[in-house]
Amino acid sequence: MTSAGRFAPSPSADLHVGNLRTAVLAWLFARSTGRRFLVRVEDLDDRAKDDVARRQLDDLAEIGVTWDAPPERQSDHEARYDGIVDELTARGMTYECHCSRKDILQAPRAPHAPEGAYPGTCRDLTDAERARRADTGRPPAVRLRSAVAEFTVADLPHGSYTGVVDDFVLRRGDGVPAYNLAVVVDDAAQGVDQVVRGDDLLASSPRQAYLGTLLGHPSPSYAHVPLVLNADGKRLAKRDGAVTLADIGVELTLRQIAASLGYAATTVAGMLAEFDPARLPREPWIYQPG
Ligand code: GLU
């Protein structure tokens, strides 16, 4: 399978100009390195909506972000994720966890563990403790039994990045495969070896790359690109005003994206001719909706 880059939006809301800019960058990275480009619909979450997924694909096509294979939907692959959880379980690399979010936040944390990192409460329970916890009635999540505390990835703007790998969730208590599992399994299944996405996901990449190595997949090259923020320095959102393609139109959207990246060209093909990964902006783009 030839190598590929991808854009993998969650269809919970229409893409705004910041998401579209990340998609353009992912496309530029892939095309400039001779890779195929794929779009994947990450619709495992119950906030995913079919009409939103359709509009996201239409919007990408309208700005010229083209893909080389029909977009896959994660909801079509539940058996694929369950198979991997079963494989890891057979290898002794998972355990069931009965903790609620509150349990996790209230548990004592190791000195340098970030807030929300799993403290390992259910990792080494005795059979009796396990049975007592199972009695609470809440179906358990399945966690990875990580053999490392951190992992290092290579990222283009960020260089060598080392981040926490805790015993993260592979399958939620409600049976839904976790994002960190699905993304790794799908990238590998689709031949994705270049991951370009918003830098809010940088801290997740060590977990994902580590899981990939357990499954025998080499780590992709990463480029976590700066997010687009509103005038208050918060992540851009629909409530900030005119931010979607439907609000702004194709031409202005492309002009704004090109200007934010320092390109004279205002088509994706033109931007490709100017693209230089070493000259990526390192600061967030502050977007003021008109
Ligand atoms: N679906 C994720 C999101 O929309 C992105 C996943 C990824 O690029 O790895 O935030």
Side-chain angles (χ1 to χ4, degrees):
M1 196 179 336
T2 48
S3 58
R6 49 60 157 192
F7 182 62
S10 305
S12 49
D14 288 339
L15 298 172
H16 60 54
V17 64
N19 308 131
L20 292 169
R21 180 197 198 229
T22 302
V24 167
L25 282 170
W27 185 90
L28 292 171
F29 265 93
R31 293 289 183 235
S32 65
T33 51
R35 284 178 165 85
R36 296 187 315 137
F37 190 71
L38 306 173
V39 175
R40 184 169 67 232
V41 179
E42 301 215 321
D43 59 349
L44 291 175
D45 202 276
D46 36 12
R47 284 167 302 176
K49 298 188 197 74
D50 275 350
D51 57 324
V52 175
R54 254 191 318 275
R55 277 201 302 277
Q56 290 185 333
L57 296 175
D58 288 349
D59 287 358
L60 291 169
E62 277 213 62
I63 60 167
V65 168
T66 49
W67 49 86
D68 299 309
E72 287 195 8
R73 308 174 75 93
Q74 290 189 318
S75 55
D76 290 336
H77 295 302
E78 301 242 1
R80 189 192 266 177
Y81 314 122
D82 283 340
I84 299 292
V85 174
D86 291 348
E87 178 198 320
L88 290 166
T89 300
R91 288 164 61 187
M93 301 182 75
T94 67
Y95 60 91
E96 292 188 343
C97 170
H98 295 272
C99 295
S100 65
R101 195 170 196 73
K102 193 162 143 227
D103 294 336
I104 295 171
L105 290 173
Q106 286 177 351
R109 244 186 295 153
H112 300 294
E115 179 163 338
Y118 187 61
T121 319
C122 290
R123 184 178 167 114
D124 296 310
L125 298 180
T126 61
D127 289 349
E129 282 168 329
R130 205 170 285 287
R132 191 182 55 75
R133 286 181 165 249
D135 254 3
T136 59
R138 201 179 23 234
V142 177
R143 289 186 180 272
L144 181 69
R145 189 180 287 281
S146 304
V148 300
E150 50 182 40
F151 199 76
T152 300
V153 298
D155 184 272
L156 192 81
H158 297 269
S160 168
Y161 173 82
T162 301
V164 168
V165 179
D166 59 349
D167 287 351
F168 57 90
V169 171
L170 300 173
R171 188 165 58 212
R172 297 178 352 195
D174 60 5
V176 176
Y179 156 67
N180 279 320
L181 172 77
V183 81
V184 170
V185 170
D186 284 341
D187 281 343
Q190 296 187 279
V192 169
D193 63 351
Q194 181 188 58
V195 170
V196 179
R197 58 189 178 189
D199 60 13
D200 54 328
L201 290 171
L202 178 64
S204 299
S205 57
R207 290 183 178 89
Q208 295 171 8
Y210 170 63
L211 176 59
T213 62
L214 294 179
L215 298 173
H217 309 309
S219 299
S221 63
Y222 289 101
H224 287 91
V225 299
L227 288 181
V228 180
L229 306 179
N230 67 15
D232 299 330
K234 302 249 168 58
R235 214 189 267 218
L236 191 69
K238 244 189 128 165
R239 63 178 168 277
D240 290 318
V243 293
T244 66
L245 198 67
D247 301 327
I248 320 174
V250 174
E251 215 190 292
L252 183 56
T253 300
L254 282 169
R255 257 197 283 135
Q256 288 172 328
I257 291 173
S260 80
L261 295 169
Y263 301 138
T266 54
T267 63
V268 291
M271 293 184 218
L272 182 56
E274 292 181 53
F275 180 64
D276 175 0
R279 273 189 41 231
L280 279 183
R282 278 157 196 272
E283 300 302 320
W285 176 27
I286 309 294
Y287 186 76
Q288 314 258 16

